[in-house]
Amino acid sequence: MNHKERMLANTSRLFNNIPANVIATENPCRVLREITEADRDYHYKE
């Protein structure tokens, strides 16, 4: 993968940098888990 992906919940308050290829949520914002190939396959269907 050449690009960086981040998914943030829309109610999250971001106070720190969020690393690439993760899903982050809650208040304050924290990393929930890494983005997997299954996530990419589901969200980038053609």
Side-chain angles (χ1 to χ4, degrees):
M1 176 191 323
N2 294 328
H3 58 283
K4 295 179 180 180
E5 300 173 337
R6 295 173 185 89
M7 296 177 76
L8 300 175
N10 64 351
T11 58
S12 296
R13 297 174 98 189
L14 186 59
F15 293 107
N16 296 317
N17 291 334
I18 299 297
N21 303 313
V22 298
I23 297 172
T25 186
E26 297 190 15
N27 189 1
C29 195
R30 68 178 181 85
V31 173
L32 182 63
R33 65 182 176 87
E34 289 190 19
I35 296 173
T36 64
E37 281 301 318
D39 295 320
R40 290 183 192 96
D41 292 343
Y42 180 80
H43 290 287
Y44 297 109
K45 297 178 200 172
E46 289 189 25

Coordinates of all heavy atoms in Angstrom, one line a residue:
M1 N 0.8 -1.2 0.0 CA 0.0 0.0 0.0 C 0.9 1.2 0.0 O 1.8 1.3 0.8 CB -0.9 0.0 1.2 CG -1.7 1.2 1.3 SD -2.5 1.5 2.9 CE -3.0 -0.1 3.3
N2 N 0.6 2.2 -0.9 CA 1.4 3.4 -1.0 C 0.8 4.6 -0.3 O 1.5 5.6 -0.1 CB 1.6 3.7 -2.5 CG 2.4 2.7 -3.2 OD1 3.3 2.0 -2.6 ND2 2.2 2.5 -4.4
H3 N -0.5 4.5 0.0 CA -1.1 5.7 0.6 C -1.4 5.4 2.1 O -1.5 4.3 2.5 CB -2.4 6.1 -0.1 CG -3.4 5.0 -0.2 ND1 -3.3 3.9 -1.0 CD2 -4.5 4.8 0.5 CE1 -4.3 3.1 -0.9 NE2 -5.1 3.6 0.1
K4 N -1.7 6.5 2.9 CA -1.9 6.4 4.3 C -3.5 6.5 4.5 O -4.1 7.3 3.9 CB -1.2 7.5 5.1 CG 0.3 7.3 5.0 CD 0.9 8.5 5.8 CE 2.4 8.3 5.7 NZ 3.1 9.4 6.4
E5 N -4.0 5.6 5.3 CA -5.4 5.7 5.6 C -5.7 5.9 7.1 O -5.0 5.3 7.9 CB -6.1 4.4 5.2 CG -5.9 4.1 3.7 CD -6.4 2.7 3.3 OE1 -6.5 1.8 4.2 OE2 -6.7 2.5 2.2
R6 N -6.7 6.6 7.4 CA -7.1 6.8 8.8 C -8.6 6.9 8.8 O -9.2 7.6 7.9 CB -6.5 8.1 9.4 CG -5.0 8.1 9.5 CD -4.5 9.5 10.0 NE -3.1 9.5 10.0 CZ -2.4 9.9 9.0 NH1 -2.9 10.2 7.9 NH2 -1.1 9.9 9.1
M7 N -9.2 6.3 9.7 CA -10.7 6.4 9.9 C -10.9 6.9 11.3 O -10.5 6.3 12.3 CB -11.4 5.0 9.7 CG -11.2 4.5 8.3 SD -12.0 2.9 8.2 CE -13.7 3.3 8.1
L8 N -11.6 8.1 11.4 CA -12.0 8.7 12.7 C -13.5 8.7 12.9 O -14.2 9.1 11.9 CB -11.4 10.1 12.8 CG -9.9 10.2 12.6 CD1 -9.5 11.7 12.7 CD2 -9.2 9.5 13.7
A9 N -14.0 8.4 14.0 CA -15.4 8.6 14.3 C -15.7 10.1 14.3 O -14.9 10.9 14.7 CB -15.7 8.0 15.7
N10 N -16.9 10.5 13.9 CA -17.2 11.9 13.7 C -17.4 12.6 15.0 O -17.4 13.8 15.1 CB -18.4 12.1 12.8 CG -19.7 11.5 13.4 OD1 -19.6 10.8 14.4 ND2 -20.8 11.8 12.8
T11 N -17.5 11.9 16.2 CA -17.6 12.6 17.5 C -16.3 12.6 18.2 O -16.3 13.1 19.4 CB -18.7 12.0 18.3 OG1 -18.4 10.6 18.5 CG2 -20.1 12.1 17.7
S12 N -15.2 12.2 17.7 CA -13.9 12.1 18.4 C -13.3 13.4 18.5 O -13.4 14.2 17.5 CB -13.0 11.1 17.6 OG -13.5 9.8 17.6
R13 N -12.6 13.7 19.6 CA -11.9 14.9 19.8 C -10.4 14.5 19.6 O -9.9 13.8 20.4 CB -12.1 15.5 21.1 CG -13.6 15.9 21.3 CD -13.9 16.4 22.7 NE -13.8 17.8 22.7 CZ -13.8 18.5 23.8 NH1 -13.8 18.0 24.9 NH2 -13.8 19.8 23.7
L14 N -9.8 15.1 18.7 CA -8.4 14.7 18.3 C -7.4 15.7 19.0 O -7.4 16.9 18.8 CB -8.2 14.8 16.8 CG -6.9 14.3 16.2 CD1 -6.7 12.9 16.6 CD2 -6.9 14.5 14.7
F15 N -6.6 15.1 19.9 CA -5.6 15.9 20.6 C -4.2 15.6 20.3 O -3.3 16.3 20.5 CB -5.8 15.7 22.2 CG -7.1 16.3 22.7 CD1 -8.1 15.4 23.1 CD2 -7.3 17.7 22.7 CE1 -9.3 16.0 23.5 CE2 -8.4 18.2 23.2 CZ -9.5 17.3 23.6
N16 N -4.0 14.4 19.7 CA -2.6 13.9 19.3 C -2.6 13.5 17.9 O -3.7 13.3 17.3 CB -2.2 12.8 20.2 CG -2.1 13.2 21.7 OD1 -1.5 14.2 22.0 ND2 -2.6 12.4 22.6
N17 N -1.4 13.2 17.4 CA -1.3 12.6 16.0 C -1.8 11.2 16.0 O -1.6 10.5 17.0 CB 0.1 12.6 15.6 CG 0.6 14.0 15.3 OD1 -0.1 14.9 15.1 ND2 1.9 14.2 15.5
I18 N -2.5 10.9 15.0 CA -3.0 9.5 14.8 C -2.2 8.8 13.7 O -2.0 9.4 12.6 CB -4.5 9.5 14.4 CG1 -5.4 10.2 15.5 CG2 -5.0 8.1 14.1 CD1 -5.4 9.4 16.8
P19 N -1.6 7.7 14.0 CA -0.8 7.0 13.0 C -1.6 6.6 11.7 O -2.8 6.5 11.8 CB -0.2 5.8 13.7 CG -1.1 5.6 14.9 CD -1.7 6.9 15.2
A20 N -0.8 6.2 10.7 CA -1.5 5.8 9.5 C -2.0 4.4 9.6 O -1.5 3.6 10.5 CB -0.5 5.8 8.3
N21 N -3.0 4.0 8.8 CA -3.6 2.7 8.7 C -4.3 2.2 10.0 O -4.1 1.1 10.4 CB -2.6 1.7 8.3 CG -2.0 2.1 6.9 OD1 -2.7 2.5 6.0 ND2 -0.7 2.1 6.8
V22 N -5.0 3.1 10.7 CA -5.7 2.7 11.9 C -7.1 3.3 11.9 O -7.5 4.2 11.1 CB -5.0 3.3 13.2 CG1 -3.6 2.7 13.3 CG2 -5.0 4.8 13.2
I23 N -8.0 2.7 12.8 CA -9.3 3.2 13.1 C -9.2 3.8 14.5 O -8.8 3.1 15.4 CB -10.3 2.1 13.0 CG1 -10.4 1.5 11.6 CG2 -11.7 2.6 13.4 CD1 -11.3 0.3 11.4
A24 N -9.7 5.1 14.6 CA -9.6 5.7 15.9 C -11.0 6.3 16.3 O -11.7 6.7 15.4 CB -8.6 6.9 15.9
T25 N -11.3 6.2 17.6 CA -12.6 6.7 18.0 C -12.5 7.1 19.5 O -11.4 7.1 20.1 CB -13.6 5.6 17.9 OG1 -14.9 6.1 18.2 CG2 -13.3 4.4 18.7
E26 N -13.6 7.5 20.1 CA -13.8 7.9 21.5 C -13.4 9.3 21.7 O -12.9 10.1 20.8 CB -13.2 6.9 22.4 CG -13.8 5.5 22.3 CD -13.4 4.6 23.4 OE1 -12.8 5.1 24.4 OE2 -13.6 3.4 23.2
N27 N -13.5 9.7 23.0 CA -13.3 11.1 23.4 C -12.5 11.1 24.7 O -13.0 10.8 25.7 CB -14.6 11.8 23.6 CG -14.4 13.3 23.8 OD1 -13.3 13.8 23.7 ND2 -15.5 14.0 24.0
P28 N -11.2 11.4 24.7 CA -10.4 11.9 23.6 C -10.1 10.7 22.6 O -10.1 9.5 23.0 CB -9.1 12.4 24.2 CG -9.0 11.7 25.5 CD -10.4 11.4 26.0
C29 N -9.7 11.1 21.4 CA -9.5 10.1 20.4 C -8.4 9.1 20.7 O -7.3 9.6 21.2 CB -9.2 10.8 19.1 SG -9.4 9.8 17.6
R30 N -8.6 7.8 20.5 CA -7.5 6.8 20.7 C -7.6 5.8 19.6 O -8.7 5.6 19.0 CB -7.6 6.2 22.1 CG -8.9 5.3 22.2 CD -8.9 4.6 23.6 NE -10.0 3.8 23.7 CZ -10.1 2.5 23.3 NH1 -9.1 2.0 22.7 NH2 -11.2 1.8 23.4
V31 N -6.6 5.1 19.3 CA -6.5 4.1 18.3 C -7.3 2.9 18.8 O -7.1 2.3 19.9 CB -5.1 3.7 18.0 CG1 -5.0 2.5 17.0 CG2 -4.3 4.9 17.4
L32 N -8.3 2.4 18.0 CA -9.1 1.3 18.3 C -8.4 0.0 17.7 O -8.3 -1.0 18.4 CB -10.5 1.4 17.7 CG -11.5 0.4 17.9 CD1 -11.8 0.2 19.4 CD2 -12.8 0.6 17.2
R33 N -8.0 0.0 16.4 CA -7.3 -1.1 15.8 C -6.8 -0.7 14.5 O -7.1 0.4 14.0 CB -8.3 -2.3 15.6 CG -9.4 -2.0 14.6 CD -10.3 -3.2 14.5 NE -11.5 -3.0 13.7 CZ -11.5 -3.2 12.4 NH1 -10.4 -3.6 11.8 NH2 -12.6 -2.9 11.7
E34 N -6.0 -1.5 13.9 CA -5.4 -1.3 12.6 C -6.4 -1.6 11.5 O -7.3 -2.4 11.7 CB -4.1 -2.1 12.4 CG -3.0 -1.7 13.2 CD -1.7 -2.4 12.8 OE1 -1.6 -2.9 11.7 OE2 -0.7 -2.4 13.6
I35 N -6.3 -0.9 10.4 CA -7.1 -1.2 9.2 C -6.6 -2.5 8.5 O -5.4 -2.6 8.3 CB -7.1 -0.1 8.2 CG1 -7.8 1.2 8.9 CG2 -7.8 -0.4 6.9 CD1 -7.7 2.4 8.1
T36 N -7.4 -3.5 8.3 CA -7.0 -4.7 7.7 C -7.3 -4.8 6.2 O -8.1 -4.0 5.7 CB -7.7 -5.9 8.4 OG1 -9.1 -5.8 8.2 CG2 -7.4 -5.9 9.9
E37 N -6.9 -5.8 5.5 CA -7.2 -6.1 4.1 C -8.7 -6.3 4.0 O -9.3 -5.9 3.0 CB -6.5 -7.3 3.6 CG -5.0 -6.9 3.2 CD -4.9 -5.8 2.1 OE1 -5.7 -5.8 1.2 OE2 -4.1 -5.0 2.3
A38 N -9.3 -6.9 5.0 CA -10.8 -7.2 4.9 C -11.5 -5.8 4.9 O -12.5 -5.7 4.2 CB -11.2 -8.0 6.1
D39 N -11.1 -4.8 5.7 CA -11.7 -3.5 5.7 C -11.5 -2.9 4.3 O -12.5 -2.3 3.8 CB -11.0 -2.6 6.7 CG -11.2 -3.1 8.2 OD1 -12.3 -3.5 8.5 OD2 -10.2 -3.0 8.9
R40 N -10.4 -3.0 3.7 CA -10.1 -2.4 2.4 C -11.0 -3.0 1.4 O -11.6 -2.3 0.5 CB -8.7 -2.5 2.0 CG -7.8 -1.6 2.9 CD -6.3 -1.7 2.4 NE -5.5 -1.0 3.4 CZ -4.9 -1.6 4.3 NH1 -4.9 -2.9 4.4 NH2 -4.1 -0.9 5.2
D41 N -11.1 -4.3 1.4 CA -12.0 -5.0 0.5 C -13.4 -4.6 0.6 O -14.1 -4.4 -0.4 CB -11.9 -6.6 0.6 CG -10.5 -7.1 0.3 OD1 -9.7 -6.4 -0.4 OD2 -10.2 -8.2 0.7
Y42 N -13.9 -4.4 1.8 CA -15.3 -4.1 2.1 C -15.6 -2.6 1.6 O -16.6 -2.4 1.0 CB -15.6 -4.2 3.6 CG -17.1 -3.9 3.9 CD1 -18.1 -4.8 3.6 CD2 -17.4 -2.6 4.4 CE1 -19.4 -4.4 3.9 CE2 -18.7 -2.3 4.7 CZ -19.7 -3.2 4.5 OH -21.0 -2.9 4.7
H43 N -14.7 -1.7 2.0 CA -15.0 -0.3 1.7 C -14.6 0.2 0.3 O -15.0 1.2 -0.1 CB -14.3 0.6 2.8 CG -14.9 0.4 4.1 ND1 -16.1 1.0 4.4 CD2 -14.5 -0.2 5.2 CE1 -16.4 0.7 5.6 NE2 -15.5 -0.1 6.2
Y44 N -13.7 -0.6 -0.4 CA -13.3 -0.2 -1.7 C -13.8 -1.1 -2.8 O -13.0 -1.5 -3.6 CB -11.8 0.0 -1.8 CG -11.3 1.1 -0.8 CD1 -10.6 0.9 0.3 CD2 -11.6 2.5 -1.1 CE1 -10.2 1.9 1.2 CE2 -11.2 3.5 -0.3 CZ -10.5 3.2 0.9 OH -10.1 4.2 1.7
K45 N -15.0 -1.6 -2.7 CA -15.6 -2.5 -3.7 C -15.7 -1.8 -5.0 O -16.0 -0.6 -5.1 CB -17.0 -3.0 -3.3 CG -17.0 -3.7 -2.0 CD -18.4 -4.1 -1.7 CE -18.6 -4.4 -0.3 NZ -20.0 -4.6 0.1
E46 N -15.6 -2.5 -6.1 CA -15.7 -1.9 -7.4 C -16.9 -2.6 -8.1 O -17.3 -3.6 -7.9 CB -14.5 -2.1 -8.2 CG -13.4 -1.2 -7.7 CD -12.2 -1.1 -8.6 OE1 -12.3 -1.4 -9.8 OE2 -11.1 -0.8 -8.1

